[in-house]
Amino acid sequence: LRREKKDINELIQGVLKGNKTALSQAITLIESRSKRHTDDIKTVISSCLPHANKSLRIGITGVPGVGKSTFIEQLGLRLTHEGHKVAVLAVDPSSSVSRGSILGDKTRMEKLVQEPNAFIRPTASSESLGGVARKTRESILLCEAAGFDILLVETVGVGQSETTVHSMTDFFLLLKLAGAGDELQGIKRGIIEMADAIIINKSDGENIKPAKRAKVEFTNALHMYPAKQNGWSPKVKLASALNNVGIEKVWTMISKYATIVKSNGFFENKRAYQNQFWLTQTIEDSLKREFYQNETIKAEFPEVLKKIQSQQMSPFEAADYLLKKAKL
Amino acid sequence: LRREKKDINELIQGVLKGNKTALSQAITLIESRSKRHTDDIKTVISSCLPHANKSLRIGITGVPGVGKSTFIEQLGLRLTHEGHKVAVLAVDPSSSVSRGSILGDKTRMEKLVQEPNAFIRPTASSESLGGVARKTRESILLCEAAGFDILLVETVGVGQSETTVHSMTDFFLLLKLAGAGDELQGIKRGIIEMADAIIINKSDGENIKPAKRAKVEFTNALHMYPAKQNGWSPKVKLASALNNVGIEKVWTMISKYATIVKSNGFFENKRAYQNQFWLTQTIEDSLKREFYQNETIKAEFPEVLKKIQSQQMSPFEAADYLLKKAKL
């Protein structure tokens, strides 16, 4: 995998020309994070950065079975047919266990994968969420530099992965199914607050009635949160991705959102905020990792915790003690 | 203020005997956080720790004007008359600006302050929320060591102060007023989720009708969150602290809560979790503070941020760069 300078420049040129093979290779290079490639990775990212940031980034979440793949495929087809270039990425920190529960099986989007203007990238290989986040965010930049103007970033919603996707996208979609009654029970904390729209999928046949009821319930739920500063009130829509019903309305809604936040400055604001968030988040994660992986701390931490729980030490005194130890 | 060893031992003995003057002096000593007193502070805390932790800690929040002082006074009087020893503390990181908006004016609890079994401590002097949190949490330990078995920890709800109080108490009360219609608009994110109970205060006279409506609305809102693991479903109660109406029911409810969580183990679990939280929180705050206060970082951070926003650098590359700089 060792590359010559010439090869890297060719790779970058390929990405910038929108060559999908080059884009794939560049993402693989970034994902490797091998120390041998540090300089190459830096060169690729810094060459792509000035050409990035021009897309609309849409985050999509929902539990397994909600129909995310079908929904993304239909939305993707709708967009490529209109002339957009669409890239689909995924954040799935669970993929080591599930062996790629999302996007792993490319046949799930068999029409979209054949579109010349679509690029589908299976989930980044497993590791910490922080690592996956970085890879995904850098992949977004590369896709944008390759001319993809709509990014669909999918997550299956394990652990903090929705928060991660929310913090790297412009619009956040929550896919739901209508169930038997109380739709709001069991929804993960904070998800409703993050959503710019909730789509009740599989609203077809016998599901239409419960879907309409769910729409009312979710609309009330959204109403309970303080209005967002960006001038957008989150919407609830019905869709049946399998029958290609409602997709058009979803896209009209997202376009409207983009128009509003681009004109009132919140689009730029949010991206600037996200940049700063990823800067500080990366720094702070690294500081914590270094501290807790320090051999002395690893050895002492359980002992100190025991002393706290048996009231021999206050948590603050214990913190002071460990902080001093880490510096020795 | 320099003390001899003998004085410190006398102070500790005073605290352990429940002497309120000694308790006040010990809290003042802890609040000083002066380096000169480091050893004394350690001695006081480590001597009190084995006698601490035996109280019920109740967090109380609500916006100014909701009647917190009256409510706390009535609840406090109810409890002292029953033989409890009640300490009232406050977390108010805003006090530098507001010159002590809570508890600063002791006359606001003029009956409670006269009770021999009540101890009211005005808010810790202003500084960072982390600092106030530490002082408050250590004051809790001292009060407990002095035999106070009910702790009422008040916060005015500025910034993250509710989260802080929530993470050092066993039961968290949100005080609300019934308003004109949509009660849920304008409530700070996350507060409803933290509440073990919502008390609609000033439920008297013409307020009774809107208060009852508010009760329904809040009950529905609480129902929207996933059930808590501890077996407790948050309650909504009406009260009129001024007329001493509803206070009895609030106390019955809190007692019931305590019985449940003490029998199912969640009382101990939560305290152990809170101890660990304060340990890691203190460590991580300190790591961040040290990093961001590093002179090189202070000088470089704004430049790096500019480069990120003008797409010359990715946030991750920038983080790597600053982390390396901090180590030089």
Side-chain angles (χ1 to χ4, degrees):
Chain A
L1 246 147
R2 194 178 289 274
R3 286 162 210 273
E4 302 295 325
K5 237 185 181 167
K6 190 173 146 270
D7 292 339
I8 280 297
N9 284 335
E10 262 176 33
L11 188 69
I12 293 167
Q13 288 314 311
V15 171
L16 295 180
K17 276 179 198 152
N19 180 302
K20 290 204 275 184
T21 309
L23 178 58
S24 264
Q25 286 170 351
I27 292 177
T28 303
L29 175 69
I30 279 168
E31 287 184 351
S32 79
R33 295 217 68 70
S34 137
K35 285 210 173 148
R36 263 176 27 198
H37 299 142
T38 305
D39 288 342
D40 286 351
I41 291 172
K42 268 196 188 170
T43 311
V44 170
I45 292 176
S46 61
S47 309
C48 287
L49 257 177
H51 307 277
N53 282 306
K54 283 163 204 152
S55 78
L56 184 64
R57 303 168 186 165
I58 303 167
I60 298 169
T61 190
V63 295
V66 76
K68 279 195 300 298
S69 302
T70 314
F71 180 86
I72 289 172
E73 174 157 53
Q74 294 289 12
L75 181 60
L77 288 169
R78 163 71 188 72
L79 294 169
T80 50
H81 294 167
E82 205 186 57
H84 287 290
K85 288 188 73 182
V86 177
V88 183
L89 303 170
V91 169
D92 180 13
S94 71
S95 60
S96 60
V97 181
S98 60
R99 296 197 155 263
S101 59
I102 50 176
L103 295 183
D105 183 5
K106 280 202 188 185
T107 58
R108 294 189 312 149
M109 297 189 196
E110 50 187 13
K111 280 182 200 156
L112 189 60
V113 83
Q114 288 169 36
E115 287 289 321
N117 279 338
F119 176 78
I120 302 179
R121 177 79 186 186
T123 175
S125 65
S126 68
E127 56 171 306
S128 69
L129 183 57
V132 172
R134 177 171 188 156
K135 286 174 181 179
T136 309
R137 212 166 182 285
E138 290 177 340
S139 300
I140 288 176
L141 298 177
L142 263 53
C143 291
E144 290 174 343
F148 289 89
D149 64 329
I150 311 245
L151 273 286
L152 304 177
V153 187
E154 179 184 3
T155 179
V156 77
V158 174
Q160 291 295 303
S161 63
E162 284 112 340
T163 310
T164 303
V165 170
H166 179 255
S167 61
M168 55 174 73
T169 51
D170 307 309
F171 190 91
F172 195 70
L173 262 178
L174 169 63
L175 258 59
K176 285 294 297 176
L177 294 179
D182 194 340
E183 307 303 338
L184 293 156
Q185 287 290 335
I187 287 195
K188 248 160 101 185
R189 283 163 198 256
I191 301 301
I192 299 260
E193 283 178 74
M194 289 196 292
D196 295 303
I198 298 173
I199 312 296
I200 300 158
N201 195 24
K202 304 192 183 175
S203 299
D204 41 41
E206 288 182 353
N207 276 331
I208 290 181
K209 252 189 161 173
K212 283 185 178 167
R213 274 201 304 271
K215 186 178 173 179
V216 172
E217 202 171 331
F218 281 114
T219 306
N220 290 340
L222 286 169
H223 175 64
M224 279 184 43
Y225 292 100
K228 294 191 177 184
Q229 284 187 304
N230 61 7
W232 175 256
S233 11
K235 307 281 183 286
V236 185
K237 301 275 179 197
L238 304 180
S240 167
L242 199 65
N243 302 310
N244 202 11
V245 169
I247 306 296
E248 192 59 36
K249 279 189 184 164
V250 170
W251 175 238
T252 308
M253 168 186 67
I254 298 175
S255 308
K256 203 172 156 189
Y257 170 86
T259 308
I260 293 174
V261 294
K262 279 179 181 172
S263 71
N264 69 15
F266 269 92
F267 186 86
E268 282 305 312
N269 281 357
K270 190 174 180 180
R271 289 216 170 168
Y273 172 82
Q274 288 178 342
N275 277 332
Q276 189 162 351
F277 169 82
W278 285 108
L279 170 65
T280 54
Q281 187 74 11
T282 308
I283 288 170
E284 291 161 18
D285 282 352
S286 169
L287 294 174
K288 283 190 244 177
R289 199 167 45 239
E290 200 181 336
F291 180 85
Y292 291 115
Q293 286 179 359
N294 175 310
E295 290 305 324
T296 315
I297 300 303
K298 266 188 185 158
E300 297 242 9
F301 196 90
E303 294 307 311
V304 159
L305 203 53
K306 257 187 227 162
K307 281 191 185 163
I308 294 174
Q309 305 300 17
S310 61
Q311 287 161 241
Q312 294 171 270
M313 229 178 181
S314 91
F316 302 103
E317 195 192 335
D320 293 345
Y321 171 81
L322 290 176
L323 285 161
K324 254 183 220 158
K325 278 278 174 180
K327 278 188 192 152
L328 296 182
Chain B
L1 244 145
R2 194 177 287 274
R3 285 165 210 272
E4 301 297 325
K5 239 187 178 163
K6 187 172 148 272
D7 293 339
I8 280 297
N9 283 336
E10 262 175 33
L11 188 68
I12 293 167
Q13 288 315 313
V15 171
L16 295 181
K17 276 180 199 151
N19 180 303
K20 291 204 274 184
T21 309
L23 178 57
S24 264
Q25 285 171 352
I27 293 178
T28 303
L29 175 69
I30 279 167
E31 286 185 352
S32 79
R33 294 217 68 70
S34 139
K35 287 212 170 147
R36 263 179 24 200
H37 300 140
T38 304
D39 289 341
D40 287 350
I41 292 172
K42 269 195 187 170
T43 310
V44 170
I45 292 177
S46 61
S47 310
C48 287
L49 257 176
H51 307 277
N53 282 305
K54 283 164 204 153
S55 79
L56 183 63
R57 304 169 185 164
I58 303 168
I60 298 169
T61 190
V63 295
V66 76
K68 279 194 299 298
S69 302
T70 313
F71 180 86
I72 290 171
E73 175 157 51
Q74 295 288 14
L75 182 59
L77 287 170
R78 163 71 187 71
L79 294 168
T80 50
H81 293 168
E82 205 185 56
H84 288 289
K85 287 189 71 182
V86 178
V88 183
L89 302 169
V91 169
D92 180 13
S94 71
S95 60
S96 59
V97 180
S98 61
R99 294 197 155 265
S101 60
I102 50 175
L103 297 183
D105 183 5
K106 280 203 188 185
T107 59
R108 292 189 312 147
M109 297 189 195
E110 49 187 14
K111 280 183 202 156
L112 190 60
V113 83
Q114 289 169 34
E115 287 289 321
N117 279 338
F119 174 77
I120 303 179
R121 177 77 185 185
T123 175
S125 67
S126 68
E127 57 170 305
S128 70
L129 183 56
V132 172
R134 178 172 187 155
K135 286 174 180 179
T136 309
R137 212 165 180 288
E138 289 176 340
S139 301
I140 288 176
L141 298 178
L142 264 54
C143 291
E144 291 175 343
F148 289 89
D149 64 328
I150 310 245
L151 273 287
L152 304 177
V153 187
E154 178 184 5
T155 179
V156 76
V158 174
Q160 292 294 304
S161 63
E162 283 112 341
T163 311
T164 303
V165 170
H166 179 254
S167 60
M168 55 174 72
T169 51
D170 307 309
F171 190 91
F172 195 69
L173 263 180
L174 169 63
L175 257 58
K176 287 293 297 176
L177 293 178
D182 194 339
E183 308 304 337
L184 293 156
Q185 287 291 334
I187 288 196
K188 247 161 101 186
R189 284 163 196 256
I191 301 301
I192 299 262
E193 283 179 75
M194 289 195 294
D196 295 303
I198 298 173
I199 311 296
I200 301 158
N201 195 24
K202 302 193 184 175
S203 298
D204 41 43
E206 288 182 353
N207 276 332
I208 290 181
K209 251 188 160 175
K212 283 185 179 168
R213 274 200 305 271
K215 186 179 174 179
V216 172
E217 202 171 330
F218 281 113
T219 305
N220 290 339
L222 286 170
H223 175 65
M224 280 184 43
Y225 293 100
K228 296 191 177 183
Q229 284 187 302
N230 61 6
W232 175 256
S233 14
K235 307 282 184 287
V236 185
K237 300 274 177 196
L238 304 180
S240 168
L242 199 64
N243 303 310
N244 202 10
V245 170
I247 305 298
E248 193 58 38
K249 280 189 183 166
V250 170
W251 175 238
T252 308
M253 167 185 68
I254 298 175
S255 307
K256 202 172 156 188
Y257 170 88
T259 308
I260 294 174
V261 294
K262 277 179 184 174
S263 71
N264 68 15
F266 269 93
F267 186 86
E268 281 308 311
N269 281 357
K270 191 173 179 180
R271 289 216 169 167
Y273 173 83
Q274 288 177 342
N275 277 333
Q276 189 162 352
F277 170 82
W278 285 108
L279 170 65
T280 55
Q281 186 74 9
T282 308
I283 288 170
E284 291 160 20
D285 282 352
S286 168
L287 294 173
K288 283 191 243 175
R289 198 167 47 239
E290 197 180 338
F291 181 85
Y292 292 115
Q293 285 178 359
N294 174 311
E295 290 303 325
T296 315
I297 301 304
K298 266 190 190 158
E300 296 243 11
F301 196 89
E303 295 306 312
V304 159
L305 203 52
K306 259 187 225 162
K307 280 191 185 163
I308 294 174
Q309 305 300 15
S310 60
Q311 288 161 240
Q312 294 170 270
M313 230 177 181
S314 90
F316 303 102
E317 195 191 336
D320 293 345
Y321 171 82
L322 289 177
L323 286 160
K324 252 182 222 158
K325 278 278 173 180
K327 280 191 189 146
L328 296 182

